[in-house]
Amino acid sequence: QVQLVESGGGLVQPGGSLRLSCTGSGSILSEYAMGWSRQAPGKQRELVAVISSTGGTWYEAPGKGRFTIARPYAQNTVYLQMNRLEPEDTAVYYCHAQRNVRDVPEYWGQGTQVTVSS
């Protein structure tokens, strides 16, 4: 059984930073890619970034150049460092896990709210 639990969301001013964390349980996660997606009110869920079990990363347009995904070696934890946040980054951020970077996620966390507002 795989469970993913996110933390680190909150309210931040435009231009500020937040770091999201996701800790997973389940031995298979060591072989899985882990990533982050987000869903803003009234919009579809979109991929933000993914990191493979060996550290390879993939970023989608919203976070390129501002967000960094990281995963300590041999840990079922993934971080998303978000810098220069904009109001458009306001969304619920979800952690997920899948076999490979380009696969559809198999497991999802419950989500953590990020609000960027002055």
Side-chain angles (χ1 to χ4, degrees), residues 70-89:
R71 182 177 183 179
Y73 177 74
Q75 294 187 25
N76 292 341
T77 300
V78 63
Y79 302 100
L80 185 68
Q81 176 67 43
M82 303 186 293
N83 299 326
R84 305 199 309 275
L85 284 161
E86 305 166 352
E88 294 73 23
D89 296 315

Side-chain angles (χ1 to χ4, degrees), residues 11-100:
L11 174 65
V12 63
Q13 293 187 341
S17 299
L18 275 179
R19 189 176 82 153
L20 305 182
S21 301
C22 172
T23 299
S25 61
S27 59
I28 63 171
L29 286 179
S30 64
E31 300 177 10
Y32 271 46
M34 297 181 73
W36 293 91
S37 293
R38 69 185 188 184
Q39 186 166 19
K43 295 188 177 181
Q44 289 188 333
R45 192 173 296 188
E46 62 178 355
L47 178 66
V48 175
V50 185
I51 187 166
S52 72
S53 60
T54 56
T57 58
W58 177 272
Y59 294 92
E60 288 293 334
K64 275 186 178 178
R66 299 185 299 127
F67 297 175
T68 303
I69 190 169
R71 182 177 183 179
Y73 177 74
Q75 294 187 25
N76 292 341
T77 300
V78 63
Y79 302 100
L80 185 68
Q81 176 67 43
M82 303 186 293
N83 299 326
R84 305 199 309 275
L85 284 161
E86 305 166 352
E88 294 73 23
D89 296 315
T90 295
V92 178
Y93 284 71
Y94 296 91
C95 175
H96 49 82
Q98 61 241 44
R99 292 184 183 273
N100 298 295

